[in-house]
Amino acid sequence: MTNNEAKVIPVRVALRCRPLVPKELNEGCECCLTFSPGEPQVIVGTEKAFTYDYVFDPMAEQEEVFTVAVSPLLSGLFKGYHATVLAYGQTGSGKTFSMGGTYTSAQEDQPCVGVIPRVIQRIFQEKDKGGSCDFTLTVSYLEIYNEDILDLLCPSKDKPAISIREDPKEGIKIVGLTERVVRSAQEMVACLELGNSSRTVGSTAMNAESSRSHAIFTITLEQRSDSMVSKLHLVDLAGSERQKKTKAEGDRLKEGISINRGLLALGNVISALGEESKKGTHVPYRDSKVTRLLQDSLGGNSHTLMIACVSPADSNIEETINTLRYADRARKIKNKPIVNMDPRTAETQRLKQCKVDLKKVFLVSGSSRRCKVDLKKVFMASGSSRRCTVDPEKVFMVSSCSSRCKLDLQNVLVTLEDQELKGKVELMKSLQDVILELQVSVASCPIVGEDVTGGFTAHHALRQAQMSKELMELNKVLALKEAFVKKMCQNDSQLEPMQSEHQHNMHSLQASVDSLLKEKEDLVLALQSAKKDTQHAKLSEQRRKRLQELEGQLVEMKKKMTEQSKLLKLKESSVRGVSKLMSEIQSMKSQRVQLMRQLKEDTEKFRVWKSQKDKEVLQLKEKDRKRQYEIMKLERDFQKQANVLRRKTEEAAAANKRLKDALQKRSEVSDKRRDGHGRGMETAASRVKSWLLNEVELLVSTEEARRHLKDLLEDRKILAHDISQLKGQLEAGGRSAAKIRRRTLIISELESKVGQETPISKQVENLETEMGLRSAQIADLQQKVLAADNDSRAKHRWDNINTVVEAKCSLKILMAELVAAKSAAARLESSLKQEQGNLQDLSRTLAEERGVMSTMDVEHQQQRVELEQNHQEKVGPAQHLPHTPPKPAVRGLERALDQALCACKGRCNNKQCRCRKGKTTCGENCQCNHARCRNLEPPGAEVRSMAVCLLLSVC
Ligand code: ADP
Ligand code: MG
């Protein structure tokens, strides 16, 4: 085929819709695209339809995409035509997936393998079929990021600078780019993997940037036998999503535009090439690197396929529609692919063609003088340089095309984000989480001091009672014993003279016994001698009698002596008993001392423990109070958020209605206008006014509806998250519903106010109903926004103004509206500023008051504990101050004591001193530093503090 035979072939467009990805499913997104079976058509929402060359629904496999859409290009490639496959779409729509931009050889033969690996496989199959010697294959892989070309096949870090040159014969050339000659599919795959890994490293490190870089994998096929060189560009474009902007992000927007210049320029090139109205205008290929590199693929010498990738999720509907429109425009681009000969063969062919063209031109020039001039130029050009372009059509076009094409405003228009509301939703979520956390922790927190303190106190009291009892018993026994010993001692003292008397008696008795015995012996002797002397018989009789008497006396004496010795023995034993008792008493006394010491120690220990516990109790009480306060605050915020939610839902419904009304009014206005035109009833001014105001209303309500749409989508995301969480809990089972952290409220629960108490399954059901409702609202609003935000409407809007009078009228109306809007905004702004000032003042005062309150509270509690301790020390360990709320009189006393117990460590001459703050002087009882205190009571005022103490003891 020759240039002459070049046919005009439009860019082919394949629409590819991926399935919903897990993230979208988790957010409760719904599919907003419908596909007509057997037709290359896709319908957005319910009525907007787009038709392409190929449409692949979410079920389509990679294989199908390749065979149906890409493979015809490859047939052309072998015939010497350049080919290009461009993947276009927002980030995450499946461009890289479709192109195979993450392919590794480990994935070989897997169904998910994308276009590039399949192309490689196919090329080598063809090569093998056609005999290997004829083919030379080279590959290059580059990335365009931030308008810099990066060579993905160059392993060295200091890569040479890459520049683009335009060669009339060979087209666009990239100087300095690595071109690898490959002999096998494995080698080519290795190049792809190398490039992918270089790209992937960048993308994981700088994720945001990767979506803004374009990657071009180029295969050059040289068929020596036919002197043909054809190129296949496989392009994974940057994410096409618009740079979101708010007024504050003006600088970032500029940066975004510069980064995304490629896509912007691509859009302009597509517009310039595709739109009928721009036919013949300048095509801004030179505006960016990517358009320069793809110059031949767009409106040039190439068979081009654009794979427009879209997400089916309704949350992406705006970007999806943009992609669909973009792709629709791309379909209108007409390419003129030619067979690309080897330069020498091509030159011969070109010269032949030149001759034919010139002949033609001669024929044409006969009728026009201007043509002659142009032809002269052409001749001159062809004479001086062999690189002449002998396309008569182009020669004429050069002079006519002058206007630069405008920027595609669509790409610059940025959706306003309502960051504020988003922030509020986030806040609400976090507040709810904190409330639940606090509730759980409060529930699990032991009731302050009850269990622990109660246990220890009871134990201590028991021990004290036991010890006191022991002490009492000991005292009793001791007293008894002492009394007994005393008695014994008394007895002893009485016995003492008796004893000496007894001893004396004993001695005298012994002496009388001895004298009696002597007398007896004497008598016995006298008796014996008297036997012989009868005269003495009478005497002896006397003597015998005396002897008997003496014996009787002796027995009596002996009896007395035994009695006396018995008495003595008794006395000894009693003395022994007394001394034993005395030692017992001694040991008992030491025991008593020990017991008393123990009792004292125990009391001291208990006191320390008690004060420590009291402190802890105080701290816990303080903590509890803070928590209670926080819970209250959170509940208040929660309620506020609930109201916001309710308001938002109502607002969304109102926005929907407003848009609906505006749409209806628009159609009414256009009907009326038609009628008016016919009857000539309406004046131009009122017609333009009603049309213009309606148009403004429509635009404003569309913008509002968009904002509410965003809110609804966000709400649905939270709902879906809650549902999945609840379902997870249901599956886990057994846990109470109260522990589930729901991030959102729903209207039905707000109304019944039983959100947390309903069982999980019921909650899931409620949430699912709510989600269905949101989805319906979303679909409804989207439909309205689509109807209002019609692409062609924006273009034809100004067609309604036909005369200068109408234009003036419009300007007047717009000016009046603008002035009204600006003055209203200024008014609002000033009142907002005022309110903000008031709010700041109020919050400052509140914070101060809170600070004072909390310090006062802490001090009060501390002093109360100290008071209790003091009182306890006075009254004894077994008695405690009752925890009943103080009576007013007592409260007054407490206050007085608070002041009396001022613990200020400073000079007591500032307001920090409690006494001074309470307008009283520091007293005796104050624990403040008396040496430094300047707030001391005047002398004699101690009486007052004593009275206070007295009052306390009475209370
Ligand atoms: P992009 O390159 O456009 O930013 P990706 O190709 O990285 O997007 O795709 C985003 C996600 O969607 C990836 O996880 C990918 O696996 C998945 N995905 C894309 N297209 C399909 C498809 N046709 N089938 C299944 N998953 C897909
Ligand atoms: Mg990608």
Side-chain angles (χ1 to χ4, degrees), residues 337-477:
I338 53 160
V339 172
N340 298 285
M341 293 289 180
D342 174 63
R344 236 181 261 168
T345 330
E347 182 67 9
T348 328
Q349 288 241 352
R350 192 188 61 78
L351 286 171
K352 278 184 192 163
Q353 185 62 37
C354 202
K355 210 169 120 190
V356 177
D357 284 347
L358 285 172
K359 269 184 188 166
K360 261 194 211 167
V361 172
F362 268 125
L363 286 172
V364 178
S365 67
S367 61
S368 157
R369 283 186 64 166
R370 192 182 153 211
C371 272
K372 274 185 191 165
V373 179
D374 286 335
L375 276 170
K376 241 183 188 173
K377 277 187 202 159
V378 174
F379 271 123
M380 272 160 73
S382 67
S384 61
S385 159
R386 283 155 65 89
R387 292 172 191 163
C388 70
T389 317
V390 198
D391 186 345
E393 222 174 298
K394 272 192 185 170
V395 173
F396 288 123
M397 263 167 62
V398 172
S399 56
S400 63
C401 71
S402 59
S403 64
R404 279 192 77 80
C405 100
K406 290 175 195 165
L407 286 182
D408 185 353
L409 276 172
Q410 242 193 9
N411 285 340
V412 188
L413 272 174
V414 181
T415 322
L416 272 169
E417 267 185 278
D418 193 347
Q419 290 284 1
E420 203 191 345
L421 272 175
K422 193 178 169 192
K424 278 186 184 168
V425 170
E426 287 302 320
L427 176 74
M428 188 170 122
K429 277 182 248 157
S430 64
L431 284 176
Q432 280 171 328
D433 285 355
V434 178
I435 286 187
L436 284 165
E437 215 169 66
L438 281 171
Q439 277 173 346
V440 168
S441 62
V442 166
S444 63
C445 178
I447 296 172
V448 191
E450 235 177 37
D451 289 353
V452 188
T453 322
F456 192 82
T457 313
H459 179 67
H460 168 77
L462 219 73
R463 221 173 44 218
Q464 289 266 321
Q466 208 173 341
M467 283 205 287
S468 304
K469 202 176 153 198
E470 270 178 39
L471 198 67
M472 266 160 66
E473 273 172 13
L474 201 70
N475 280 339
K476 220 159 109 187
V477 174

Side-chain angles (χ1 to χ4, degrees), residues 16-19 21 58 60 90-98 236:
R16 181 160 203 206
C17 174
R18 65 157 167 75
V21 289
Q90 74 175 112
T91 302
S93 57
K95 299 181 296 293
T96 310
F97 179 86
S98 298
D236 183 2

Side-chain angles (χ1 to χ4, degrees), residues 501-695:
E501 201 184 306
H502 275 303
Q503 268 175 351
H504 181 70
N505 283 352
M506 281 280 279
H507 285 301
S508 63
L509 277 173
Q510 194 68 44
S512 5
V513 166
D514 286 348
S515 73
L516 280 173
L517 276 173
K518 191 140 191 293
E519 206 180 324
K520 192 185 158 184
E521 271 171 29
D522 287 350
L523 277 173
V524 170
L525 277 175
L527 263 176
Q528 275 172 0
S529 63
K531 264 178 194 176
K532 290 162 199 174
D533 194 353
T534 43
Q535 297 162 335
H536 297 290
K538 214 178 164 182
L539 198 70
S540 346
E541 191 57 31
Q542 279 179 342
R543 282 180 182 161
R544 207 170 284 131
K545 269 186 189 168
R546 175 80 187 139
L547 199 68
Q548 274 175 351
E549 223 176 273
L550 278 173
E551 272 178 354
Q553 272 182 4
L554 216 76
V555 169
E556 212 172 304
M557 282 295 181
K558 276 189 180 168
K559 219 170 148 185
K560 269 188 185 171
M561 272 180 68
T562 347
E563 267 174 23
Q564 283 293 334
S565 62
K566 258 186 196 168
L567 262 172
L568 274 171
K569 265 183 198 160
L570 199 72
K571 161 81 176 103
E572 268 169 25
S573 78
S574 95
V575 167
R576 265 204 310 277
V578 166
S579 67
K580 198 178 155 201
L581 268 175
M582 288 296 273
S583 71
E584 267 179 21
I585 285 170
Q586 213 54 44
S587 78
M588 274 171 92
K589 273 187 178 166
S590 64
Q591 207 179 332
R592 188 175 63 178
V593 169
Q594 214 175 336
L595 204 64
M596 278 168 81
R597 198 183 299 138
Q598 206 176 331
L599 207 65
K600 208 173 159 191
E601 272 173 19
D602 212 49
T603 310
E604 179 58 24
K605 232 190 256 174
F606 177 73
R607 201 189 59 76
V608 171
W609 175 85
K610 179 86 173 52
S611 71
Q612 192 191 332
K613 282 294 147 196
D614 280 343
K615 236 179 235 168
E616 277 173 26
V617 166
L618 198 72
Q619 279 168 0
L620 280 171
K621 269 186 184 167
E622 178 58 16
K623 237 187 226 174
D624 192 50
R625 200 187 58 75
K626 274 188 189 155
R627 273 186 187 161
Q628 290 288 349
Y629 173 72
E630 235 163 291
I631 287 174
M632 251 171 58
K633 194 169 157 255
L634 289 173
E635 267 171 7
R636 219 172 34 229
D637 290 346
F638 189 71
Q639 204 52 46
K640 236 191 267 170
Q641 299 300 331
N643 291 338
V644 170
L645 172 73
R646 207 191 292 262
R647 205 195 63 230
K648 273 201 309 193
T649 320
E650 283 164 9
E651 274 180 9
N656 196 351
K657 191 169 175 300
R658 190 176 165 186
L659 193 53
K660 198 174 145 196
D661 291 349
L663 280 169
Q664 199 177 344
K665 206 164 162 212
R666 187 180 71 184
S667 67
E668 275 170 16
V669 166
S670 65
D671 287 351
K672 224 168 153 188
R673 206 169 51 227
R674 246 177 275 131
D675 293 354
H677 264 310
R679 282 182 267 125
M681 300 264 284
E682 219 176 0
T683 62
S686 66
R687 184 184 67 78
V688 167
K689 186 172 181 180
S690 75
W691 164 75
L692 208 57
L693 291 183
N694 187 245
E695 209 62 25

Side-chain angles (χ1 to χ4, degrees), residues 39 60 125 180 253 297 331 372-373 381 397 625 677 712 727 734 831 847 883 924 940 943:
E39 273 183 74
Q125 276 171 1
R180 288 252 168 92
L253 175 71
S297 312
R331 277 189 82 203
K372 274 185 191 165
V373 179
M397 263 167 62
R625 200 187 58 75
H677 264 310
L712 284 172
K727 279 187 177 162
S831 74
H883 283 276
E924 265 291 281
V943 183

